[in-house]
Amino acid sequence: MSLAALSNGREPWNTEMSCQAALSLLSILNRQPPTTKAAFIEYLLRDCIKPAFSGAAKNPTITAQGRKDSTFKPSRFNDGIHDQERKPWTMEKRYVLNVFQWTLQNMSSREVEDQWPHIIPPILTLLDDESTIFKAKGCELLNLLFKNTSSALLARTGLGELLESTLMNLLSYLPPLTPSNDSVGLLMQAYPTLIALGRVRYSEAEDQLHMKFLDQVFRRGVLAGYVHCKEYISVVQLLVEQIAVIVEEEGLWSVRHLKFMIPILSDVLADPFGPQNTMSLVTAAKTMKVVVLNTWPRVAQHRAEILRGLTCCWCNIIEAEEETGAEYEDVKSHIRQAYRLLAAALLPEVDLAFEIKRLVETDGLVAGLLADGG
């Protein structure tokens, strides 16, 4: 247990050297009979992790077997879940979370199914905690669990809907009610976990249900989040990254979101203060490439809005280079690539270079983008 507690090198009280030493010693388990490893994992879950969470208020929406409780009725009264003395894993037994993480990383699908009743309650307790730090940790652990969870197990336990609802609610932890850094830390874990849930919950035969699920992630998460806090650059950058993830998951199905995605990306690219935060511009340009690549049959009607973002970004960068003497080659490279992709996607129906000659005449700075990208 002590070795598993040292298996996370990101902890402030741990070092990379001790982490590597602990992982090296723990790897000996892989050379032992499967029954030995399974017994050790059961010991960690039952005798180390479970006692640390036993004092916390039980999640009333699940049974002791880790299944959805169909008889649950919400209560109007506070059940004392915020009592810190009943949550030792937040303070003196913080190491338990590292033990839990190592355990999930080293479990097989069979072991996950066997130990399901010991796994789910602690994760849901973390997701229900009032601290965004522990909510984020719950998401991280749940994402690890999904790597060895079958669709059949999730369906059999009836937890798919509960987990979806719980994770969706986390997407509303946005500024200004939630501090910007806390919001980003939580959303960085919540979105990948939701995407992983969709892959596990919906089989290939349920492709349309999977697409509708991803639609909800975009509308309730990305779109609502952008509208609510577009002035928070760090949050917007994270949301733009999620657009790329969702588009790659949905493929051509994502064309239904073009009328929302393109203006968001173009607004980020066209921001006159963009050169002060080049990472947001690079992220938006990369995402624009992903969008064009996956939805090229429908981008023609959005080409004016796409060009607005690309050309404004290009002009802002050129002006910033002239004023400051700094170089923005990374941003310029991605803008050129996005332009090339757009031009290729529109052929042979539309000759993009011919269409925007008047724009070049209006602002000579754009000529550099067309010459380099054409």
Side-chain angles (χ1 to χ4, degrees), residues 59-350:
N59 191 308
T61 60
I62 63 170
T63 66
Q65 291 73 39
R67 298 174 180 269
K68 181 179 179 181
D69 188 351
S70 58
T71 64
F72 165 70
K73 293 183 180 179
S75 171
R76 297 181 300 148
F77 304 103
N78 189 340
D79 57 5
I81 195 171
H82 302 302
D83 185 0
Q84 293 296 325
E85 294 181 358
R86 301 171 65 185
K87 299 186 291 184
W89 40 269
T90 64
M91 295 295 289
E92 68 269 18
K93 291 187 177 180
R94 185 77 173 263
Y95 64 86
V96 167
L97 300 181
N98 290 340
V99 176
F100 201 3
Q101 179 174 317
W102 180 88
T103 303
L104 292 175
Q105 289 172 334
N106 290 273
M107 295 181 74
S108 64
S109 299
R110 178 60 185 273
E111 290 165 344
V112 165
E113 187 167 351
D114 291 341
Q115 301 298 330
W116 187 260
H118 293 141
I119 297 172
I120 286 298
I123 290 180
L124 290 179
T125 298
L126 288 168
L127 293 175
D128 288 341
D129 193 79
E130 68 272 16
S131 169
T132 56
I133 294 176
F134 294 112
K135 287 181 182 292
K137 191 63 180 181
C139 291
E140 183 181 2
L141 295 175
L142 188 58
N143 202 351
L144 287 174
L145 177 63
F146 286 150
K147 296 181 186 298
N148 288 300
T149 301
S150 65
S151 300
L153 176 59
L154 205 58
R156 193 163 63 249
T157 56
L159 290 182
E161 184 179 353
L162 172 64
L163 293 174
E164 178 181 334
S165 175
T166 301
L167 293 172
M168 282 287 190
N169 289 336
L170 298 183
L171 304 185
S172 63
Y173 281 72
L174 299 165
L177 293 180
T178 303
S180 180
N181 289 340
D182 292 348
S183 176
V184 170
L186 176 57
L187 297 179
M188 283 179 62
Q189 298 294 341
Y191 275 105
T193 306
L194 264 170
I195 298 300
L197 171 62
R199 293 171 181 163
V200 173
R201 187 181 181 191
Y202 302 105
S203 62
E204 293 184 4
E206 300 174 306
D207 188 56
Q208 287 197 351
L209 291 176
H210 189 193
M211 294 301 105
K212 290 180 180 179
F213 165 79
L214 292 170
D215 288 346
Q216 288 297 307
V217 175
F218 174 78
R219 291 168 182 156
R220 292 178 55 185
V222 175
L223 184 57
Y226 179 77
V227 171
H228 184 72
C229 55
K230 62 177 68 177
E231 67 273 21
Y232 294 90
I233 297 176
S234 58
V235 177
V236 169
Q237 182 176 328
L238 185 145
L239 294 176
V240 168
E241 291 173 350
Q242 304 316 309
I243 291 178
V245 174
I246 293 171
V247 168
E248 289 185 324
E249 285 286 312
E250 289 194 327
L252 191 57
W253 183 280
S254 60
V255 295
R256 62 178 60 203
H257 305 309
L258 279 176
K259 62 182 178 181
F260 303 113
M261 293 188 297
I262 298 300
I264 291 175
L265 298 178
S266 291
D267 283 348
V268 174
L269 289 169
D271 184 357
F273 299 103
Q276 298 177 18
N277 184 19
T278 56
M279 280 306 302
S280 65
L281 298 181
V282 170
T283 301
K286 287 181 177 179
T287 301
M288 186 70 84
K289 290 189 290 184
V290 171
V291 170
V292 172
L293 201 59
N294 284 273
T295 65
W296 63 268
R298 297 289 183 88
V299 295
Q301 57 189 302
H302 300 279
R303 63 185 184 275
E305 182 66 14
I306 297 175
L307 282 174
R308 176 180 74 85
L310 296 179
T311 55
C312 286
C313 182
W314 181 268
C315 292
N316 291 338
I317 288 297
I318 297 300
E319 291 174 353
E321 286 183 333
E322 294 174 352
E323 293 175 3
T324 66
E327 294 185 354
Y328 297 86
E329 288 304 321
D330 194 25
V331 180
K332 290 164 66 175
S333 174
H334 288 292
I335 294 296
R336 291 189 191 106
Q337 293 170 19
Y339 172 78
R340 291 183 186 134
L341 277 175
L342 178 63
L346 296 176
L347 290 174
E349 288 79 8
V350 178

Side-chain angles (χ1 to χ4, degrees), residues 23-34 36-37:
L23 291 174
S24 177
L25 290 171
L26 286 168
S27 66
I28 297 174
L29 280 172
N30 295 326
R31 299 193 291 270
Q32 302 300 315
T36 302
K37 179 186 173 185

